[in-house]
Amino acid sequence: MPPAPGDREARRQDVSEAVWRVLADKGFGGLTLRAVAAAMGVSTGMLMHYFPTKRALVAHALDLLERRTAERPRRARPAEGLAALRAMLLDILPLTADDTARNRIWVSSWDLALADESLGRDQADRYTRLRSAIRPHLEAARDHGELPATADPDQLAATAVAFTHGLVVQALFDPARFPPDAQTALLDTFLASIAGPASPSG
Amino acid sequence: MPPAPGDREARRQDVSEAVWRVLADKGFGGLTLRAVAAAMGVSTGMLMHYFPTKRALVAHALDLLERRTAERPRRARPAEGLAALRAMLLDILPLTADDTARNRIWVSSWDLALADESLGRDQADRYTRLRSAIRPHLEAARDHGELPATADPDQLAATAVAFTHGLVVQALFDPARFPPDAQTALLDTFLASIAGPASPSG
């Protein structure tokens, strides 16, 4: 008898959870049908029912990463300006165990994406979208005098993304040197430095 | 008859060159004996003379990455201060094809290093050394009035590394958006922002 639809959905969730655990532990470099099967305590044959190929497994893993990133809990977002940007960037940094796992998997995905034209384009587009989402906050900050009138929102958006992702990588490798409060302090100093002397809070 | 020592050395160079090409193209995720053998036009069996295991191949690849990074050509380095820091960070960014290949391989190595305790510690130590190499320039910059007297060299070293590596990643994925002059302009704006109003050149 085929499993009831509810069972099937529950099993799908189990599979995704196991894929996530393998990714968080070993990255895409360690993502194999065998590793996921072992994490679930099932046979590789059973798992091939879900993922007939390694490619299908990787595609599921990338979807899962996108979905969990989109659905992650986020801070209340101040309407605009540097406070909104600060909340956005705090939502990216590895400040909790879940954030750390997600970031670790993103960094791992870069190896894959740099080797594959289509995935590389996806990642370039993701960066473009992230900079575009940041830009209006920088424009508002400039218009409200939180940034110098000469500030270039395009440049600053790229700089803010660079700072944040570079901090992610350092923190992943050295969590003792970069606990959450150290990351937050670095972000605040960074924001103060781009605000410069024109900042009302500076 | 065994090959003459000179031949052996030449062959070793060929092997390293092929390993590098595979890494630059496919990253550590695509580094296999088969891929390196194909890049050299030899049999996998011949290559196993050099690398009896995948592990030996990866160890050689990591050594090669360290060595090529240490031996890369560098800019004339101004003695100290922000000008010295600028030269150091320009030497990291992917401004040429060789720099791009090397950075691409470093980013790829992060997936490997995050999955392996010993390699992860090596990478954390590498970051500590990089921040320590940057720090004296920031102290000199502060002492000479290029940075505000309140500047914290430890924090700024972490921030400068974060900015630089985060820019590396964005530029690798989107070289059209981040050609060399755009990367250099971003670096200069970043350095001006940490210098703040106390900078003689600001």
Side-chain angles (χ1 to χ4, degrees):
Chain A
M1 205 174 76
D7 289 354
R8 210 152 48 208
E9 182 48 34
R11 178 45 68 102
R12 246 178 238 286
Q13 296 272 4
D14 289 348
V15 170
S16 291
E17 199 49 47
V19 168
W20 192 258
R21 283 204 306 278
V22 170
L23 286 172
D25 194 31
K26 302 177 185 180
F28 281 91
L31 182 68
T32 59
L33 286 167
R34 187 191 292 203
V36 176
M40 293 185 72
V42 302
S43 70
T44 307
M46 191 302 260
L47 204 63
M48 289 184 75
H49 178 68
Y50 293 89
F51 309 117
T53 61
K54 171 77 188 285
R55 196 178 177 81
L57 173 60
V58 169
H60 177 77
L62 289 168
D63 279 352
L64 192 62
L65 180 53
E66 284 278 8
R67 200 164 68 237
R68 292 206 170 183
T69 300
E71 292 170 357
R72 74 191 193 277
R74 300 185 195 209
R75 282 161 185 75
R77 192 72 49 94
E80 57 176 22
L82 290 187
L85 177 59
R86 179 177 189 271
M88 259 186 99
L89 300 184
L90 283 173
D91 278 341
I92 292 175
L93 291 173
L95 303 177
T96 69
D98 282 353
D99 296 336
T100 301
R102 198 180 54 250
N103 272 295
R104 186 253 177 279
I105 299 169
W106 273 117
V107 171
S108 164
S109 78
W110 295 342
D111 183 31
L112 205 66
L114 285 168
D116 180 295
E117 201 175 326
S118 159
L119 295 179
R121 221 164 21 233
D122 289 350
Q123 182 58 32
D125 290 347
R126 209 172 276 121
Y127 268 126
T128 301
R129 285 196 302 275
L130 180 54
R131 291 190 300 265
S132 298
I134 284 176
R135 196 193 141 103
H137 300 309
L138 290 162
E139 287 170 345
R142 185 195 53 193
D143 295 346
H144 298 169
E146 286 188 298
L147 291 176
T150 54
D152 177 336
D154 273 330
Q155 274 216 334
L156 282 177
T159 299
V161 170
F163 165 79
T164 306
H165 275 187
L167 180 54
V168 164
V169 175
Q170 286 181 88
L172 289 177
F173 280 110
D174 203 344
R177 164 71 181 79
F178 296 99
D181 58 344
Q183 293 183 53
T184 306
L186 279 165
L187 173 60
D188 285 332
T189 306
F190 168 76
L191 291 174
S193 79
I194 65 168
S199 163
S201 62
Chain B
M1 204 174 74
D7 290 353
R8 210 151 51 211
E9 182 48 34
R11 179 46 69 100
R12 247 178 238 288
Q13 296 272 6
D14 289 348
V15 170
S16 292
E17 199 49 48
V19 168
W20 192 257
R21 282 204 306 277
V22 170
L23 287 172
D25 193 32
K26 303 178 185 177
F28 280 92
L31 181 69
T32 59
L33 287 167
R34 186 191 293 203
V36 176
M40 292 184 72
V42 302
S43 69
T44 307
M46 192 301 263
L47 205 63
M48 290 185 72
H49 178 67
Y50 293 89
F51 310 116
T53 62
K54 170 78 188 280
R55 197 179 177 78
L57 173 60
V58 169
H60 177 77
L62 288 168
D63 279 352
L64 191 61
L65 180 53
E66 285 279 9
R67 200 164 67 237
R68 294 206 169 184
T69 301
E71 293 170 358
R72 75 191 192 278
R74 300 185 195 210
R75 282 160 185 75
R77 192 70 51 94
E80 56 177 23
L82 290 188
L85 176 59
R86 180 177 188 272
M88 260 186 97
L89 300 183
L90 283 174
D91 278 341
I92 293 175
L93 291 173
L95 302 178
T96 68
D98 282 354
D99 296 337
T100 301
R102 198 181 54 250
N103 272 294
R104 185 254 177 278
I105 299 170
W106 273 117
V107 171
S108 166
S109 78
W110 294 341
D111 183 33
L112 205 67
L114 285 167
D116 180 297
E117 202 176 325
S118 160
L119 294 179
R121 222 166 19 236
D122 288 349
Q123 181 60 31
D125 291 346
R126 208 172 278 122
Y127 269 125
T128 301
R129 285 196 303 274
L130 180 55
R131 291 189 299 266
S132 298
I134 285 176
R135 196 194 140 103
H137 300 309
L138 290 161
E139 286 170 346
R142 185 194 55 196
D143 296 347
H144 297 170
E146 286 188 298
L147 291 176
T150 55
D152 177 335
D154 273 331
Q155 273 216 334
L156 282 178
T159 299
V161 170
F163 165 78
T164 306
H165 274 187
L167 180 53
V168 164
V169 175
Q170 287 181 88
L172 289 178
F173 280 111
D174 203 345
R177 164 73 181 79
F178 296 99
D181 58 344
Q183 294 182 52
T184 305
L186 279 166
L187 173 59
D188 285 331
T189 306
F190 169 76
L191 291 174
S193 79
I194 65 170
S199 163
S201 61

